Amino acid sequence: MSRPLAGAVAVRVGSVEAPAWAWQALREGRVARLATASAAGAPHLVPVCYVLAGGELWTPIDAKPKTTRALRRVRNLAENPRASLLVDHYEEDWRELRWVLAHGRAELVRGEAAAPALARLRAKYPQYLEVEAGPEAIRLVPERIVAWTASG
């Protein structure tokens, strides 16, 4: 992520307002952590690749070798659509620390409805030229964004 501008103005994307640097971090970040919870509230957190497209955050259910396609994050979303996605940036110089947390509703999207986001994921991550992205993806629609930077 490039350095955010201190005091940057807020930008509205869809119905959510956040500092311009936070939207930039969501666009440029390479890895995030997706948090879901079961209906009983048991939390689950996994690192994911993702893309910001049209104000929505998408992460693929890709074809990497997995023990099952019934992933816990997918099962959790079927029970409880609330989810969060965290993008953070660490530097040894703690003045450069920052993070963006998007809270919202998420769902599993299949087939043609997921195709545009999967194409954007392939463009962002060249690794998807060798590993199939999709055919399913999780779409998180942010309802609130919390952002923090040590630089003010």
Side-chain angles (χ1 to χ4, degrees), residues 53-79:
E56 299 172 335
L57 295 156
W58 293 80
T59 182
I61 306 298
D62 52 292
K64 291 186 296 208
K66 295 179 177 11
T67 56
T68 179
R69 295 286 292 169
L71 302 175
R72 182 152 173 216
R73 67 193 101 151
V74 174
R75 292 191 321 262
N76 283 353
L77 291 175
E79 296 176 13

PDB file of all heavy atoms in Angstrom, residues 53-79:
ATOM      1  N   ALA A  53     -14.595  -4.235  -5.818  1.00  0.00           N
ATOM      2  CA  ALA A  53     -15.240  -4.018  -7.119  1.00  0.00           C
ATOM      3  C   ALA A  53     -16.604  -3.386  -6.889  1.00  0.00           C
ATOM      4  O   ALA A  53     -17.467  -3.982  -6.239  1.00  0.00           O
ATOM      5  CB  ALA A  53     -15.384  -5.337  -7.872  1.00  0.00           C
ATOM      6  N   GLY A  54     -16.773  -2.175  -7.388  1.00  0.00           N
ATOM      7  CA  GLY A  54     -18.061  -1.506  -7.258  1.00  0.00           C
ATOM      8  C   GLY A  54     -18.494  -1.304  -5.822  1.00  0.00           C
ATOM      9  O   GLY A  54     -19.678  -1.390  -5.510  1.00  0.00           O
ATOM     10  N   GLY A  55     -17.556  -1.059  -4.930  1.00  0.00           N
ATOM     11  CA  GLY A  55     -17.881  -0.848  -3.530  1.00  0.00           C
ATOM     12  C   GLY A  55     -18.113  -2.131  -2.743  1.00  0.00           C
ATOM     13  O   GLY A  55     -18.417  -2.076  -1.558  1.00  0.00           O
ATOM     14  N   GLU A  56     -17.965  -3.280  -3.392  1.00  0.00           N
ATOM     15  CA  GLU A  56     -18.134  -4.570  -2.730  1.00  0.00           C
ATOM     16  C   GLU A  56     -16.781  -5.269  -2.650  1.00  0.00           C
ATOM     17  O   GLU A  56     -15.931  -5.094  -3.527  1.00  0.00           O
ATOM     18  CB  GLU A  56     -19.117  -5.448  -3.499  1.00  0.00           C
ATOM     19  CG  GLU A  56     -20.495  -4.841  -3.604  1.00  0.00           C
ATOM     20  CD  GLU A  56     -21.414  -5.616  -4.533  1.00  0.00           C
ATOM     21  OE1 GLU A  56     -20.923  -6.315  -5.440  1.00  0.00           O
ATOM     22  OE2 GLU A  56     -22.632  -5.494  -4.360  1.00  0.00           O
ATOM     23  N   LEU A  57     -16.598  -6.076  -1.620  1.00  0.00           N
ATOM     24  CA  LEU A  57     -15.367  -6.839  -1.435  1.00  0.00           C
ATOM     25  C   LEU A  57     -15.646  -8.291  -1.782  1.00  0.00           C
ATOM     26  O   LEU A  57     -16.618  -8.883  -1.287  1.00  0.00           O
ATOM     27  CB  LEU A  57     -14.893  -6.701   0.009  1.00  0.00           C
ATOM     28  CG  LEU A  57     -14.491  -5.268   0.363  1.00  0.00           C
ATOM     29  CD1 LEU A  57     -14.586  -5.024   1.855  1.00  0.00           C
ATOM     30  CD2 LEU A  57     -13.089  -4.977  -0.149  1.00  0.00           C
ATOM     31  N   TRP A  58     -14.819  -8.858  -2.640  1.00  0.00           N
ATOM     32  CA  TRP A  58     -15.010 -10.220  -3.139  1.00  0.00           C
ATOM     33  C   TRP A  58     -13.784 -11.060  -2.820  1.00  0.00           C
ATOM     34  O   TRP A  58     -12.655 -10.602  -3.007  1.00  0.00           O
ATOM     35  CB  TRP A  58     -15.201 -10.200  -4.650  1.00  0.00           C
ATOM     36  CG  TRP A  58     -16.466  -9.562  -5.111  1.00  0.00           C
ATOM     37  CD1 TRP A  58     -16.716  -8.220  -5.238  1.00  0.00           C
ATOM     38  CD2 TRP A  58     -17.646 -10.227  -5.536  1.00  0.00           C
ATOM     39  NE1 TRP A  58     -17.975  -8.030  -5.708  1.00  0.00           N
ATOM     40  CE2 TRP A  58     -18.577  -9.247  -5.908  1.00  0.00           C
ATOM     41  CE3 TRP A  58     -18.003 -11.575  -5.643  1.00  0.00           C
ATOM     42  CZ2 TRP A  58     -19.841  -9.563  -6.375  1.00  0.00           C
ATOM     43  CZ3 TRP A  58     -19.264 -11.890  -6.114  1.00  0.00           C
ATOM     44  CH2 TRP A  58     -20.174 -10.891  -6.473  1.00  0.00           C
ATOM     45  N   THR A  59     -14.012 -12.280  -2.377  1.00  0.00           N
ATOM     46  CA  THR A  59     -12.932 -13.231  -2.160  1.00  0.00           C
ATOM     47  C   THR A  59     -13.355 -14.570  -2.761  1.00  0.00           C
ATOM     48  O   THR A  59     -14.500 -14.998  -2.580  1.00  0.00           O
ATOM     49  CB  THR A  59     -12.563 -13.354  -0.666  1.00  0.00           C
ATOM     50  OG1 THR A  59     -11.475 -14.254  -0.524  1.00  0.00           O
ATOM     51  CG2 THR A  59     -13.718 -13.788   0.186  1.00  0.00           C
ATOM     52  N   PRO A  60     -12.479 -15.210  -3.514  1.00  0.00           N
ATOM     53  CA  PRO A  60     -12.882 -16.422  -4.219  1.00  0.00           C
ATOM     54  C   PRO A  60     -12.879 -17.661  -3.326  1.00  0.00           C
ATOM     55  O   PRO A  60     -12.152 -17.729  -2.328  1.00  0.00           O
ATOM     56  CB  PRO A  60     -11.818 -16.565  -5.306  1.00  0.00           C
ATOM     57  CG  PRO A  60     -10.592 -16.013  -4.652  1.00  0.00           C
ATOM     58  CD  PRO A  60     -11.086 -14.854  -3.811  1.00  0.00           C
ATOM     59  N   ILE A  61     -13.678 -18.618  -3.708  1.00  0.00           N
ATOM     60  CA  ILE A  61     -13.544 -19.983  -3.212  1.00  0.00           C
ATOM     61  C   ILE A  61     -12.859 -20.700  -4.367  1.00  0.00           C
ATOM     62  O   ILE A  61     -13.486 -21.095  -5.335  1.00  0.00           O
ATOM     63  CB  ILE A  61     -14.914 -20.627  -2.900  1.00  0.00           C
ATOM     64  CG1 ILE A  61     -15.721 -19.756  -1.940  1.00  0.00           C
ATOM     65  CG2 ILE A  61     -14.720 -22.039  -2.375  1.00  0.00           C
ATOM     66  CD1 ILE A  61     -15.078 -19.564  -0.581  1.00  0.00           C
ATOM     67  N   ASP A  62     -11.539 -20.744  -4.298  1.00  0.00           N
ATOM     68  CA  ASP A  62     -10.788 -21.220  -5.449  1.00  0.00           C
ATOM     69  C   ASP A  62     -10.521 -22.713  -5.381  1.00  0.00           C
ATOM     70  O   ASP A  62     -10.864 -23.377  -4.410  1.00  0.00           O
ATOM     71  CB  ASP A  62      -9.504 -20.415  -5.646  1.00  0.00           C
ATOM     72  CG  ASP A  62      -8.677 -20.328  -4.394  1.00  0.00           C
ATOM     73  OD1 ASP A  62      -9.128 -19.679  -3.451  1.00  0.00           O
ATOM     74  OD2 ASP A  62      -7.586 -20.902  -4.364  1.00  0.00           O
ATOM     75  N   ALA A  63      -9.908 -23.216  -6.408  1.00  0.00           N
ATOM     76  CA  ALA A  63      -9.741 -24.655  -6.605  1.00  0.00           C
ATOM     77  C   ALA A  63      -8.450 -25.200  -6.004  1.00  0.00           C
ATOM     78  O   ALA A  63      -8.044 -26.285  -6.361  1.00  0.00           O
ATOM     79  CB  ALA A  63      -9.791 -24.966  -8.097  1.00  0.00           C
ATOM     80  N   LYS A  64      -7.824 -24.464  -5.103  1.00  0.00           N
ATOM     81  CA  LYS A  64      -6.625 -25.005  -4.461  1.00  0.00           C
ATOM     82  C   LYS A  64      -6.987 -26.323  -3.781  1.00  0.00           C
ATOM     83  O   LYS A  64      -8.134 -26.515  -3.382  1.00  0.00           O
ATOM     84  CB  LYS A  64      -6.096 -24.026  -3.406  1.00  0.00           C
ATOM     85  CG  LYS A  64      -5.518 -22.762  -3.974  1.00  0.00           C
ATOM     86  CD  LYS A  64      -4.898 -21.918  -2.903  1.00  0.00           C
ATOM     87  CE  LYS A  64      -5.926 -21.458  -1.919  1.00  0.00           C
ATOM     88  NZ  LYS A  64      -5.669 -20.221  -1.250  1.00  0.00           N
ATOM     89  N   PRO A  65      -6.015 -27.201  -3.590  1.00  0.00           N
ATOM     90  CA  PRO A  65      -6.321 -28.446  -2.877  1.00  0.00           C
ATOM     91  C   PRO A  65      -6.849 -28.147  -1.474  1.00  0.00           C
ATOM     92  O   PRO A  65      -6.219 -27.435  -0.708  1.00  0.00           O
ATOM     93  CB  PRO A  65      -4.973 -29.157  -2.801  1.00  0.00           C
ATOM     94  CG  PRO A  65      -4.147 -28.537  -3.878  1.00  0.00           C
ATOM     95  CD  PRO A  65      -4.639 -27.127  -4.038  1.00  0.00           C
ATOM     96  N   LYS A  66      -8.037 -28.630  -1.199  1.00  0.00           N
ATOM     97  CA  LYS A  66      -8.670 -28.454   0.103  1.00  0.00           C
ATOM     98  C   LYS A  66      -9.194 -29.813   0.535  1.00  0.00           C
ATOM     99  O   LYS A  66      -9.488 -30.667  -0.292  1.00  0.00           O
ATOM    100  CB  LYS A  66      -9.828 -27.457   0.022  1.00  0.00           C
ATOM    101  CG  LYS A  66      -9.411 -26.030  -0.319  1.00  0.00           C
ATOM    102  CD  LYS A  66     -10.627 -25.141  -0.391  1.00  0.00           C
ATOM    103  CE  LYS A  66     -10.404 -23.685  -0.640  1.00  0.00           C
ATOM    104  NZ  LYS A  66      -9.186 -23.158  -1.028  1.00  0.00           N
ATOM    105  N   THR A  67      -9.360 -29.996   1.817  1.00  0.00           N
ATOM    106  CA  THR A  67      -9.898 -31.265   2.295  1.00  0.00           C
ATOM    107  C   THR A  67     -11.389 -31.362   1.990  1.00  0.00           C
ATOM    108  O   THR A  67     -11.927 -32.452   1.888  1.00  0.00           O
ATOM    109  CB  THR A  67      -9.660 -31.428   3.802  1.00  0.00           C
ATOM    110  OG1 THR A  67     -10.224 -30.302   4.472  1.00  0.00           O
ATOM    111  CG2 THR A  67      -8.172 -31.530   4.105  1.00  0.00           C
ATOM    112  N   THR A  68     -12.062 -30.211   1.843  1.00  0.00           N
ATOM    113  CA  THR A  68     -13.488 -30.199   1.538  1.00  0.00           C
ATOM    114  C   THR A  68     -13.860 -28.888   0.859  1.00  0.00           C
ATOM    115  O   THR A  68     -13.186 -27.879   1.054  1.00  0.00           O
ATOM    116  CB  THR A  68     -14.338 -30.381   2.818  1.00  0.00           C
ATOM    117  OG1 THR A  68     -15.722 -30.333   2.457  1.00  0.00           O
ATOM    118  CG2 THR A  68     -14.060 -29.289   3.828  1.00  0.00           C
ATOM    119  N   ARG A  69     -14.916 -28.900   0.059  1.00  0.00           N
ATOM    120  CA  ARG A  69     -15.445 -27.657  -0.525  1.00  0.00           C
ATOM    121  C   ARG A  69     -16.437 -27.007   0.435  1.00  0.00           C
ATOM    122  O   ARG A  69     -16.843 -25.874   0.237  1.00  0.00           O
ATOM    123  CB  ARG A  69     -16.140 -27.940  -1.861  1.00  0.00           C
ATOM    124  CG  ARG A  69     -15.244 -28.446  -2.960  1.00  0.00           C
ATOM    125  CD  ARG A  69     -14.354 -27.424  -3.562  1.00  0.00           C
ATOM    126  NE  ARG A  69     -15.110 -26.445  -4.318  1.00  0.00           N
ATOM    127  CZ  ARG A  69     -14.581 -25.319  -4.778  1.00  0.00           C
ATOM    128  NH1 ARG A  69     -13.326 -25.052  -4.584  1.00  0.00           N
ATOM    129  NH2 ARG A  69     -15.315 -24.480  -5.449  1.00  0.00           N
ATOM    130  N   ALA A  70     -16.849 -27.727   1.481  1.00  0.00           N
ATOM    131  CA  ALA A  70     -17.774 -27.196   2.485  1.00  0.00           C
ATOM    132  C   ALA A  70     -16.964 -26.439   3.539  1.00  0.00           C
ATOM    133  O   ALA A  70     -16.849 -26.854   4.687  1.00  0.00           O
ATOM    134  CB  ALA A  70     -18.578 -28.329   3.110  1.00  0.00           C
ATOM    135  N   LEU A  71     -16.384 -25.332   3.130  1.00  0.00           N
ATOM    136  CA  LEU A  71     -15.514 -24.566   4.007  1.00  0.00           C
ATOM    137  C   LEU A  71     -16.297 -23.942   5.160  1.00  0.00           C
ATOM    138  O   LEU A  71     -17.460 -23.561   4.999  1.00  0.00           O
ATOM    139  CB  LEU A  71     -14.806 -23.470   3.209  1.00  0.00           C
ATOM    140  CG  LEU A  71     -13.961 -23.948   2.037  1.00  0.00           C
ATOM    141  CD1 LEU A  71     -13.421 -22.771   1.261  1.00  0.00           C
ATOM    142  CD2 LEU A  71     -12.842 -24.848   2.514  1.00  0.00           C
ATOM    143  N   ARG A  72     -15.635 -23.817   6.285  1.00  0.00           N
ATOM    144  CA  ARG A  72     -16.314 -23.274   7.464  1.00  0.00           C
ATOM    145  C   ARG A  72     -16.827 -21.866   7.223  1.00  0.00           C
ATOM    146  O   ARG A  72     -17.924 -21.517   7.668  1.00  0.00           O
ATOM    147  CB  ARG A  72     -15.359 -23.309   8.659  1.00  0.00           C
ATOM    148  CG  ARG A  72     -16.016 -22.812   9.902  1.00  0.00           C
ATOM    149  CD  ARG A  72     -15.436 -23.421  11.130  1.00  0.00           C
ATOM    150  NE  ARG A  72     -16.008 -22.785  12.288  1.00  0.00           N
ATOM    151  CZ  ARG A  72     -15.347 -22.550  13.395  1.00  0.00           C
ATOM    152  NH1 ARG A  72     -14.094 -22.917  13.503  1.00  0.00           N
ATOM    153  NH2 ARG A  72     -15.935 -21.960  14.392  1.00  0.00           N
ATOM    154  N   ARG A  73     -16.080 -21.041   6.506  1.00  0.00           N
ATOM    155  CA  ARG A  73     -16.551 -19.671   6.255  1.00  0.00           C
ATOM    156  C   ARG A  73     -17.847 -19.687   5.459  1.00  0.00           C
ATOM    157  O   ARG A  73     -18.730 -18.863   5.696  1.00  0.00           O
ATOM    158  CB  ARG A  73     -15.473 -18.849   5.562  1.00  0.00           C
ATOM    159  CG  ARG A  73     -15.133 -19.287   4.150  1.00  0.00           C
ATOM    160  CD  ARG A  73     -13.873 -18.679   3.623  1.00  0.00           C
ATOM    161  NE  ARG A  73     -12.825 -19.663   3.734  1.00  0.00           N
ATOM    162  CZ  ARG A  73     -11.789 -19.743   2.938  1.00  0.00           C
ATOM    163  NH1 ARG A  73     -11.606 -18.864   1.989  1.00  0.00           N
ATOM    164  NH2 ARG A  73     -10.897 -20.689   3.082  1.00  0.00           N
ATOM    165  N   VAL A  74     -17.981 -20.618   4.526  1.00  0.00           N
ATOM    166  CA  VAL A  74     -19.204 -20.728   3.726  1.00  0.00           C
ATOM    167  C   VAL A  74     -20.355 -21.231   4.593  1.00  0.00           C
ATOM    168  O   VAL A  74     -21.470 -20.703   4.536  1.00  0.00           O
ATOM    169  CB  VAL A  74     -18.973 -21.643   2.506  1.00  0.00           C
ATOM    170  CG1 VAL A  74     -20.265 -21.882   1.748  1.00  0.00           C
ATOM    171  CG2 VAL A  74     -17.914 -21.034   1.587  1.00  0.00           C
ATOM    172  N   ARG A  75     -20.094 -22.234   5.414  1.00  0.00           N
ATOM    173  CA  ARG A  75     -21.130 -22.738   6.338  1.00  0.00           C
ATOM    174  C   ARG A  75     -21.570 -21.634   7.297  1.00  0.00           C
ATOM    175  O   ARG A  75     -22.763 -21.468   7.569  1.00  0.00           O
ATOM    176  CB  ARG A  75     -20.615 -23.947   7.115  1.00  0.00           C
ATOM    177  CG  ARG A  75     -20.391 -25.167   6.247  1.00  0.00           C
ATOM    178  CD  ARG A  75     -20.145 -26.437   7.055  1.00  0.00           C
ATOM    179  NE  ARG A  75     -19.322 -26.293   8.238  1.00  0.00           N
ATOM    180  CZ  ARG A  75     -18.026 -26.575   8.307  1.00  0.00           C
ATOM    181  NH1 ARG A  75     -17.366 -26.991   7.230  1.00  0.00           N
ATOM    182  NH2 ARG A  75     -17.367 -26.434   9.441  1.00  0.00           N
ATOM    183  N   ASN A  76     -20.600 -20.871   7.816  1.00  0.00           N
ATOM    184  CA  ASN A  76     -20.941 -19.777   8.724  1.00  0.00           C
ATOM    185  C   ASN A  76     -21.846 -18.756   8.055  1.00  0.00           C
ATOM    186  O   ASN A  76     -22.824 -18.300   8.649  1.00  0.00           O
ATOM    187  CB  ASN A  76     -19.678 -19.089   9.239  1.00  0.00           C
ATOM    188  CG  ASN A  76     -18.971 -19.864  10.307  1.00  0.00           C
ATOM    189  OD1 ASN A  76     -19.464 -20.880  10.801  1.00  0.00           O
ATOM    190  ND2 ASN A  76     -17.784 -19.417  10.667  1.00  0.00           N
ATOM    191  N   LEU A  77     -21.531 -18.384   6.815  1.00  0.00           N
ATOM    192  CA  LEU A  77     -22.339 -17.382   6.127  1.00  0.00           C
ATOM    193  C   LEU A  77     -23.762 -17.868   5.862  1.00  0.00           C
ATOM    194  O   LEU A  77     -24.695 -17.073   5.841  1.00  0.00           O
ATOM    195  CB  LEU A  77     -21.677 -16.950   4.823  1.00  0.00           C
ATOM    196  CG  LEU A  77     -20.394 -16.132   5.008  1.00  0.00           C
ATOM    197  CD1 LEU A  77     -19.742 -15.867   3.657  1.00  0.00           C
ATOM    198  CD2 LEU A  77     -20.668 -14.839   5.752  1.00  0.00           C
ATOM    199  N   ALA A  78     -23.930 -19.174   5.672  1.00  0.00           N
ATOM    200  CA  ALA A  78     -25.275 -19.725   5.492  1.00  0.00           C
ATOM    201  C   ALA A  78     -26.086 -19.573   6.775  1.00  0.00           C
ATOM    202  O   ALA A  78     -27.308 -19.403   6.723  1.00  0.00           O
ATOM    203  CB  ALA A  78     -25.192 -21.192   5.086  1.00  0.00           C
ATOM    204  N   GLU A  79     -25.413 -19.589   7.923  1.00  0.00           N
ATOM    205  CA  GLU A  79     -26.085 -19.447   9.213  1.00  0.00           C
ATOM    206  C   GLU A  79     -26.176 -17.998   9.674  1.00  0.00           C
ATOM    207  O   GLU A  79     -27.106 -17.617  10.371  1.00  0.00           O
ATOM    208  CB  GLU A  79     -25.312 -20.225  10.292  1.00  0.00           C
ATOM    209  CG  GLU A  79     -25.264 -21.706  10.093  1.00  0.00           C
ATOM    210  CD  GLU A  79     -24.412 -22.394  11.151  1.00  0.00           C
ATOM    211  OE1 GLU A  79     -24.052 -21.761  12.173  1.00  0.00           O
ATOM    212  OE2 GLU A  79     -24.112 -23.585  10.966  1.00  0.00           O
TER     213      GLU A  79
END
